[in-house]
Amino acid sequence: MFENILFQNQVIDQLKSDIGSSSLAPSILFSGPEYGGKGTTALELARVQSCEKNDVQGDWNCSCSSCVRHRNLVSPDLLILGKRHFFEEIAASSGPFLRNPENPGSRMLFLRSVRKLLLRFNSILWEDDHKLGKLKGQIDILEEELEDIEYAGENNDLKKKCESIIKKTAKLQAEGLGELIPIAQIRKAAYWSRLAPLGKKKHIIMENAEKMQEGAKNSLLKILEEPPPYLSIVLTSSRPMILLPTMLSRLREYRFAKRKTEEEKEVLSRIFREKQTAADSIESYFASFLPVKSDALYALSAFFAASVAAEAVREGRRAYSTGQMKAGVQNVVTSAVLIDFGKYTALISETGAMGRPAGNAKDALQKVLDTAEQFEIPGLFIRFLQQCSALVVAWLRSGDNDQDISLEKSIITELWHGELNRSMAENDSFNIKPPMVLERLFEALKTGMI
């Protein structure tokens, strides 16, 4: 029971105790850091609760039909909502499978990673939504390719098939899933939950539950208030404080710990069969599968910042030369700090092989988009914005400690953090495409820095 959950002993021991004493709450919250195993534990809990064998309940290798369906993520009594790092997980899971395709554990790891995404397109959740019709062709092809991998013997085209699946899942995620769980899906899940299960229990798992539309929170609250006796609900969140207090009061919380570095490396070794890797965490390991690696993304953020600074300096000089800006002590200090910011970021850009800042906003934006492959891989744009934030913090802590200069550096840093947070919300919560967000961000930063 819970053999595949590593280095979360306190949570697992408590779950085992509650299951053994029949005191497990119907509505549960798994809280804790990202990549801590919350989603995997939720899936395993659903399997354990549905196991049809009383003598060895929850054994990972249990052969009962319910456990087989749950292990393969094809149970009709399971609904999963919410987003996760699908692309990175699928790409990472393909590695051990391709290295040892005959290993059933590696094969299952890859198949499950893809099905976690496909489960978000359950027809129950998308009933009457015309968008599903547009995506159905992609979903059908993916399911066919998965079946080919699952049941075929030795296949010389295995690498090509995996690459095809990874590409298709990225496209499906980008086109099909918004950042927020919509109210319509919560309502459909609520209706589904009232129907009798085919097995022992029904399970609703909602990952990153803090990312819900406002109306969805109230709809979910109604399920939590009066759950059917055969329903198990698990919410996962790395930011539980964002959930409604009335929601939290109806959830029993299990807190997952932040794993130590050596523990995360052990997870990579045992789950992803990575004996030697430069990554020191699951997050950095997953990030290594993105088309733009972390170091290059940091250099790209420096190119963007240097281009913004260069454009701001040019605009400021044009404004001053035409009499639109009066010279003053404050302006002299600001200009010096702005130039320092430009030099600092330009050096990082050039060192990271991104080149000198662009001569205008259009060229700068085009280079960023081209280098990042238009940010088509879900999650890559948010990582880029996070690297911009880290870059500005590093600049703030560098160089001169003069009081006036430190004040001006703080003002510029606050400007960047405010606009970056706004950009994250535009993309993450309102689903505005990266090119539009990036264009607005460039203009806002340039204007604010003059």
Side-chain angles (χ1 to χ4, degrees), residues 27 72 131 153 159 189 371 394 442:
S27 303
N72 291 298
K131 192 175 183 179
K159 182 177 181 181
T371 304
F442 191 102

PDB file of all heavy atoms in Angstrom, residues 27 72 131 153 159 189 371 394 442:
ATOM      1  N   SER A  27     -13.676  13.930   2.300  1.00  0.00           N
ATOM      2  CA  SER A  27     -13.116  15.056   1.555  1.00  0.00           C
ATOM      3  C   SER A  27     -11.757  15.420   2.151  1.00  0.00           C
ATOM      4  O   SER A  27     -11.650  15.711   3.346  1.00  0.00           O
ATOM      5  CB  SER A  27     -14.052  16.262   1.617  1.00  0.00           C
ATOM      6  OG  SER A  27     -15.337  15.922   1.112  1.00  0.00           O
ATOM      7  N   ASN A  72      -3.862   1.371 -14.412  1.00  0.00           N
ATOM      8  CA  ASN A  72      -3.751   1.799 -15.809  1.00  0.00           C
ATOM      9  C   ASN A  72      -4.506   3.098 -16.103  1.00  0.00           C
ATOM     10  O   ASN A  72      -4.549   3.548 -17.245  1.00  0.00           O
ATOM     11  CB  ASN A  72      -4.253   0.697 -16.733  1.00  0.00           C
ATOM     12  CG  ASN A  72      -3.336  -0.505 -16.748  1.00  0.00           C
ATOM     13  OD1 ASN A  72      -2.181  -0.409 -17.143  1.00  0.00           O
ATOM     14  ND2 ASN A  72      -3.836  -1.642 -16.293  1.00  0.00           N
ATOM     15  N   LYS A 131     -15.942  22.583 -27.797  1.00  0.00           N
ATOM     16  CA  LYS A 131     -14.483  22.530 -27.913  1.00  0.00           C
ATOM     17  C   LYS A 131     -13.974  21.091 -27.987  1.00  0.00           C
ATOM     18  O   LYS A 131     -12.986  20.803 -28.666  1.00  0.00           O
ATOM     19  CB  LYS A 131     -13.858  23.252 -26.720  1.00  0.00           C
ATOM     20  CG  LYS A 131     -12.367  23.529 -26.865  1.00  0.00           C
ATOM     21  CD  LYS A 131     -11.879  24.357 -25.680  1.00  0.00           C
ATOM     22  CE  LYS A 131     -10.408  24.722 -25.840  1.00  0.00           C
ATOM     23  NZ  LYS A 131      -9.924  25.540 -24.704  1.00  0.00           N
ATOM     24  N   GLY A 153       4.593  -5.663 -29.487  1.00  0.00           N
ATOM     25  CA  GLY A 153       5.833  -6.261 -29.023  1.00  0.00           C
ATOM     26  C   GLY A 153       6.980  -5.331 -29.320  1.00  0.00           C
ATOM     27  O   GLY A 153       6.872  -4.111 -29.236  1.00  0.00           O
ATOM     28  N   LYS A 159      11.006   5.015 -30.568  1.00  0.00           N
ATOM     29  CA  LYS A 159      11.441   6.376 -30.280  1.00  0.00           C
ATOM     30  C   LYS A 159      10.631   7.380 -31.071  1.00  0.00           C
ATOM     31  O   LYS A 159      10.196   8.412 -30.536  1.00  0.00           O
ATOM     32  CB  LYS A 159      12.927   6.538 -30.602  1.00  0.00           C
ATOM     33  CG  LYS A 159      13.465   7.926 -30.271  1.00  0.00           C
ATOM     34  CD  LYS A 159      14.957   8.029 -30.543  1.00  0.00           C
ATOM     35  CE  LYS A 159      15.475   9.429 -30.190  1.00  0.00           C
ATOM     36  NZ  LYS A 159      16.932   9.557 -30.465  1.00  0.00           N
ATOM     37  N   ALA A 189     -19.104  17.381 -12.752  1.00  0.00           N
ATOM     38  CA  ALA A 189     -18.543  16.434 -11.790  1.00  0.00           C
ATOM     39  C   ALA A 189     -19.511  16.212 -10.631  1.00  0.00           C
ATOM     40  O   ALA A 189     -19.647  15.092 -10.122  1.00  0.00           O
ATOM     41  CB  ALA A 189     -17.202  16.945 -11.262  1.00  0.00           C
ATOM     42  N   THR A 371      13.328  32.209 -30.347  1.00  0.00           N
ATOM     43  CA  THR A 371      14.227  31.389 -29.529  1.00  0.00           C
ATOM     44  C   THR A 371      13.450  30.425 -28.653  1.00  0.00           C
ATOM     45  O   THR A 371      13.870  29.285 -28.442  1.00  0.00           O
ATOM     46  CB  THR A 371      15.113  32.294 -28.646  1.00  0.00           C
ATOM     47  OG1 THR A 371      15.825  33.212 -29.477  1.00  0.00           O
ATOM     48  CG2 THR A 371      16.098  31.466 -27.835  1.00  0.00           C
ATOM     49  N   ALA A 394      18.832  39.628  -8.921  1.00  0.00           N
ATOM     50  CA  ALA A 394      20.296  39.509  -8.934  1.00  0.00           C
ATOM     51  C   ALA A 394      20.941  40.866  -9.204  1.00  0.00           C
ATOM     52  O   ALA A 394      21.966  41.216  -8.590  1.00  0.00           O
ATOM     53  CB  ALA A 394      20.727  38.485  -9.991  1.00  0.00           C
ATOM     54  N   PHE A 442       6.663  44.594 -22.562  1.00  0.00           N
ATOM     55  CA  PHE A 442       7.784  45.397 -23.059  1.00  0.00           C
ATOM     56  C   PHE A 442       7.440  46.882 -23.000  1.00  0.00           C
ATOM     57  O   PHE A 442       8.235  47.693 -22.506  1.00  0.00           O
ATOM     58  CB  PHE A 442       8.111  44.985 -24.502  1.00  0.00           C
ATOM     59  CG  PHE A 442       9.395  45.556 -25.023  1.00  0.00           C
ATOM     60  CD1 PHE A 442      10.536  44.772 -25.095  1.00  0.00           C
ATOM     61  CD2 PHE A 442       9.482  46.885 -25.448  1.00  0.00           C
ATOM     62  CE1 PHE A 442      11.731  45.291 -25.583  1.00  0.00           C
ATOM     63  CE2 PHE A 442      10.671  47.412 -25.929  1.00  0.00           C
ATOM     64  CZ  PHE A 442      11.802  46.616 -25.995  1.00  0.00           C
TER      65      PHE A 442
END
